[in-house]
Amino acid sequence: MAAPPLDFQEHLARLEAQGLLRRIERPVNKDTELHPLVRWQFQGGLKEDERRAFLFTNVVDSGGRRYDTPVAIGALASSAQIYAVGMGCAVEDIGDAWMRAIANPIAPVTVTSAPCQDVVIKGAALRAPNGGLKSLPVPISTPGYDAAPYLTATLCITADPETGVRNMGTYRAQLKATDRLGVRMAARIGGAGGYLHWQKFRKLKKPMPIAIVVGCAPVVMFTGPQKLPIDLDEMAVAGGLAGAPIRVVKAVTVDLDVPADAEIVVEGLIDPELLEPEGPFGESHGHVALEDFNMSMQVTAITHKRAPIFASILSEVTPSESSVMKRVAYEPRYLAHLRDTLAIKGVRRVVMHEPLTNLRKVLFVQFAPGMPRTEIWRALHGAASLQADIGKYVIAVSEDVDPENPNAVFWSLAYRANPVDDVQIVPYRAAGHGPKSGPRGEESTMLIDATLKDIAPPLALPKREYMEAARQIWDELGLPALTPQPPWHGYSLGDWDAAWDVYASRAVAGKWEETGKETFAKRRGGLTPETPVREVEGKGGGKG
């Protein structure tokens, strides 16, 4: 694969060259139509590899204004493939790329002039009736519920006032005035990096400088949602992903470095004491976040390229662009934690349940056959404890169960887990990400071992070769397109006898009468119906 694109517009060009971007040239209203249109590719039953990035080149608003700046949405992570283009690697190599970058960060390099500062808006231009933030084509994410347009595809840069350590996080920002934003940085479970910086500025009674980047190299954007250690410089990790230093430039009005090749940068100061109501806004836990007091940001400058593209992401109910961005990085991280850090044997995959539950609440750990229960339970506890807000329900399944198929998981729960033996409830879990209506105290964790504990009879579907042959006929007949989900063919689970293979072979060859002659010769009296033959004949089940 090529090196990662170090410019957002170069990334869009690569997506278009690979058929992963749709250009929409008809007028689209950013306030009522833009996000709902792209939302259909997540809510409309499309498979993930059918999703695309969208570039809107004729953006209007409900007041009739037309914007010169195009809007890109879904361009970072509508699918794992789109994310991989931004990483400059294959989908299957995303996890390893993150591990290498975290272990081998590359510090950024400072430049003195930059495309992100081709145009500088400050002073009276920020406060003009249709200037400042109103000049940007900021969409409404959840029309009908959101209180205002929101910056969503953000990289919010702050610095620790004591150590100077930089933090880059993805936080939402509500438009309040042409020169003011309401910024929400999560305060729960220890607090986001930017929130921890704000707490220190609050003690110092000084406003906190902040630069909000909207659109830049994907490897830089992707560091925002990652839960990296507080003292690890995300810009250096982005350099590790890129294999080269990220170019940065000093912001125009605040003492912070910003990506030199960014599309748009909003600079400003966050009040250290006064908070203002922010919200409602559709959240990724699947509910609308109601109005809270959050940070008030006075904008001091907006800088951008001469011809920028505005970036927005789709969040709210999952699956979404936001959840794909997390999933493709979190799952390899959890697998590495169990397999490498905890040295647990036989872990095949870690899968986070995405639709509606938003990754954090339900995890599946898939195991190779025959793993000791001690290893399975170590993995269940290890997965539930890596992050405070991830792993409310953790379910272990065997290798033959596809954790991305909920029906297969329910089958495994139904026949492979005995609640009294295979379920543990662990108290004192942080409530984590979720709606705030009603009382929200501590939660608990449920761990379930739904792996196969012993040999079992085969899965009662035709063997693979017969299903594949029938599939060819299906296709020849022009019947509706199939999207098989495992299990779609029968397979052995260990409890089988070689004699039964002989019976099955005779059956498909039309020679079943030979079996009838053999069983007629074995007739016995004095037995109760449903007495197993091998109990009487002294045979045990074997590997089939």
Side-chain angles (χ1 to χ4, degrees):
M1 293 285 287
L6 296 183
D7 175 272
F8 185 63
Q9 295 191 34
E10 179 192 347
H11 172 62
L12 295 179
R14 291 192 191 184
L15 292 178
E16 190 162 29
Q18 295 184 38
L20 295 172
L21 181 142
R22 300 186 196 278
R23 284 181 176 265
I24 308 297
E25 297 178 354
R26 59 154 284 174
V28 175
N29 188 327
K30 75 175 187 67
D31 297 327
T32 61
E33 298 171 338
L34 195 151
H35 267 249
L37 180 66
V38 182
R39 169 57 67 183
W40 269 116
Q41 72 174 347
F42 291 90
Q43 305 304 123
L46 296 184
K47 292 184 291 186
E48 183 173 322
D49 61 7
E50 296 178 287
R51 301 180 200 152
R52 296 291 181 264
F54 281 72
L55 183 64
F56 295 91
T57 58
N58 190 354
V59 179
V60 299
D61 66 15
S62 293
R65 179 172 183 168
R66 186 186 178 281
Y67 295 83
D68 294 330
T69 302
V71 175
I73 181 168
L76 292 169
S78 280
S79 68
Q81 182 57 45
I82 288 172
Y83 186 101
V85 171
M87 291 282 283
C89 69
V91 171
E92 58 269 23
D93 296 330
I94 290 171
D96 288 342
W98 272 109
M99 297 304 151
R100 286 195 303 271
I102 291 169
N104 303 284
I106 299 175
V109 59
T110 303
V111 297
T112 54
S113 63
C116 73
Q117 294 173 350
D118 285 344
V119 177
V120 177
I121 303 167
K122 56 183 182 177
L126 281 176
R127 296 183 290 277
N130 286 307
L133 295 169
K134 285 190 75 174
S135 67
L136 302 177
V138 185
I140 293 180
S141 296
T142 323
Y145 292 104
D146 288 358
Y150 268 80
L151 306 180
T152 56
T154 68
L155 194 73
C156 297
I157 301 173
T158 58
D160 188 308
E162 298 169 356
T163 66
V165 171
R166 171 173 37 222
N167 182 77
M168 304 196 307
T170 299
Y171 313 126
R172 69 181 189 233
Q174 177 184 350
L175 270 62
K176 294 287 190 178
T178 60
D179 63 347
R180 197 173 85 257
L181 290 164
V183 180
R184 186 262 188 183
M185 298 180 180
R188 58 182 171 80
I189 314 177
Y195 173 76
L196 297 179
H197 290 172
W198 179 78
Q199 285 184 310
K200 291 187 177 184
F201 278 99
R202 190 180 203 177
K203 287 181 181 177
L204 295 171
K205 301 187 185 309
K206 293 182 179 178
M208 179 174 74
I210 182 171
I212 301 180
V213 179
V214 182
C216 63
V219 290
V220 181
M221 288 295 304
F222 291 157
T223 65
Q226 276 279 25
K227 302 300 180 187
L228 301 175
I230 294 296
D231 58 351
L232 183 58
D233 182 6
E234 288 94 347
M235 200 78 81
V237 173
L241 290 172
I246 301 299
R247 293 173 3 116
V248 297
V249 67
K250 191 70 69 182
V252 173
T253 59
V254 293
D255 188 17
L256 293 168
D257 290 335
V258 299
D261 299 295
E263 301 295 309
I264 300 166
V265 180
V266 181
E267 304 176 9
L269 299 169
I270 290 181
D271 194 289
E273 186 59 40
L274 297 176
L275 304 178
E276 70 173 294
E278 177 268 339
F281 178 75
E283 263 281 15
S284 58
H285 49 62
H287 295 268
V288 172
L290 304 180
E291 200 175 25
D292 287 330
F293 277 96
N294 275 316
M295 300 173 189
S296 186
M297 174 182 168
Q298 184 63 49
V299 176
T300 53
I302 299 172
T303 73
H304 58 77
K305 290 180 176 177
R306 282 195 177 82
I309 292 178
F310 185 91
S312 183
I313 60 170
L314 209 67
S315 188
E316 300 88 42
V317 168
T318 55
S320 68
E321 187 179 6
S322 166
S323 65
V324 173
M325 200 179 301
K326 295 181 180 75
R327 189 195 76 223
V328 296
Y330 283 13
E331 287 180 348
R333 180 183 171 201
Y334 269 72
L335 179 60
H337 174 67
L338 299 181
R339 186 186 58 201
D340 304 331
T341 305
L342 299 182
I344 296 170
K345 299 179 180 64
V347 179
R348 289 286 193 255
R349 294 175 68 193
V350 176
V351 171
M352 296 178 155
H353 188 259
E354 187 176 16
L356 296 178
T357 59
N358 187 27
L359 306 174
R360 296 173 170 93
K361 299 297 185 182
V362 183
L363 269 65
F364 305 107
V365 185
Q366 187 188 56
F367 281 89
M371 286 300 104
R373 296 199 75 189
T374 51
E375 293 299 277
I376 291 168
W377 282 102
R378 283 211 304 130
L380 289 170
H381 284 281
S385 58
L386 179 57
Q387 283 186 219
D389 61 345
I390 294 180
K392 181 177 179 179
Y393 300 96
V394 187
I395 302 171
V397 297
S398 294
E399 194 170 47
D400 67 305
V401 171
D402 179 7
E404 294 188 63
N405 180 357
N407 294 325
V409 174
F410 280 125
W411 174 61
S412 192
L413 287 169
Y415 294 104
R416 300 181 180 184
N418 178 13
V420 74
D421 296 323
D422 298 320
V423 176
Q424 288 186 9
I425 307 293
V426 183
Y428 308 121
R429 178 169 204 87
H433 195 52
K436 294 181 180 178
S437 298
R440 291 196 77 213
E442 290 173 339
E443 290 190 341
S444 55
T445 299
M446 177 181 283
L447 308 176
I448 305 175
D449 177 4
T451 58
L452 188 65
K453 312 299 189 298
D454 202 349
I455 58 173
L459 182 68
L461 288 169
K463 278 189 176 180
R464 184 178 192 128
E465 59 263 36
Y466 303 107
M467 290 297 292
E468 288 178 339
R471 174 75 183 270
Q472 288 185 342
I473 298 172
W474 179 282
D475 292 340
E476 288 169 10
L477 293 172
L479 296 174
L482 298 175
T483 54
Q485 277 195 303
W488 53 265
H489 63 83
Y491 53 87
S492 174
L493 288 166
D495 193 1
W496 191 245
D497 191 280
W500 301 330
D501 276 326
V502 174
Y503 296 168
S505 296
R506 288 173 180 164
V508 296
K511 299 177 180 179
W512 47 269
E513 286 176 289
E514 294 180 25
T515 302
K517 290 177 184 177
E518 290 181 12
T519 59
F520 185 82
K522 294 180 179 181
R523 290 190 303 166
R524 292 177 183 243
L527 297 175
T528 303
E530 297 190 27
T531 299
V533 170
R534 61 190 177 191
E535 263 185 31
V536 176
E537 296 185 346
K539 294 180 180 178
K543 296 287 182 185

